[in-house]
Amino acid sequence: MAGKIDAAARAAALKDLKGWQDAEERDAITKTYQFKDFTAAFAWMKAVAQVAERMDHHPEWRNVYRTVEVVLTSHDADGVTQRDVTMAREMDRLAGAQA
């Protein structure tokens, strides 16, 4: 189990992660992605799902047409860990020019 990152590490990570922010009312980070259409959004979700399986770290997300809302938190640590930061970076990398 990974431990929660401290406030300074979290602030530094959020500064480095474009578009990510603290979630309201819970210990998590969140971002909303916009894709050109549903097919692009779903293809990205499929690519992220493969990474999530390898990492054994699964996002909370909601998809409506071309929009995907993501929340990352580590339930076993009851908050944000380095695994969440790593997953956020992977999501951004996979979104590339699509989002």
Side-chain angles (χ1 to χ4, degrees):
M1 173 173 96
K4 291 193 322 186
I5 58 175
D6 65 25
R10 185 174 177 151
L14 287 173
K15 185 177 178 183
D16 187 48
L17 294 167
K18 183 181 176 197
W20 287 88
Q21 59 190 359
D22 283 315
E24 291 184 26
E25 300 184 23
R26 62 186 291 199
D27 195 352
I29 58 176
T30 185
K31 181 175 180 173
T32 299
Y33 291 89
Q34 293 282 329
F35 296 90
K36 68 178 183 171
D37 56 26
F38 176 77
T39 302
F42 196 81
W44 175 80
M45 291 175 73
K46 182 178 177 185
V48 170
Q50 293 171 340
V51 171
E53 282 296 300
R54 283 194 302 273
M55 289 180 65
D56 191 27
H57 190 57
H58 304 87
E60 297 174 21
W61 54 19
R62 180 174 179 265
N63 168 242
V64 177
Y65 183 55
R66 66 184 197 108
T67 303
V68 182
E69 299 168 359
V70 178
V71 175
L72 295 176
T73 190
S74 294
H75 298 283
D76 58 349
D78 199 29
V80 177
T81 68
Q82 187 58 47
R83 290 174 62 189
D84 299 300
V85 174
T86 300
M87 178 62 79
R89 285 192 179 111
E90 279 298 298
M91 290 175 146
D92 287 348
R93 182 186 68 76
L94 290 168
Q98 292 183 45

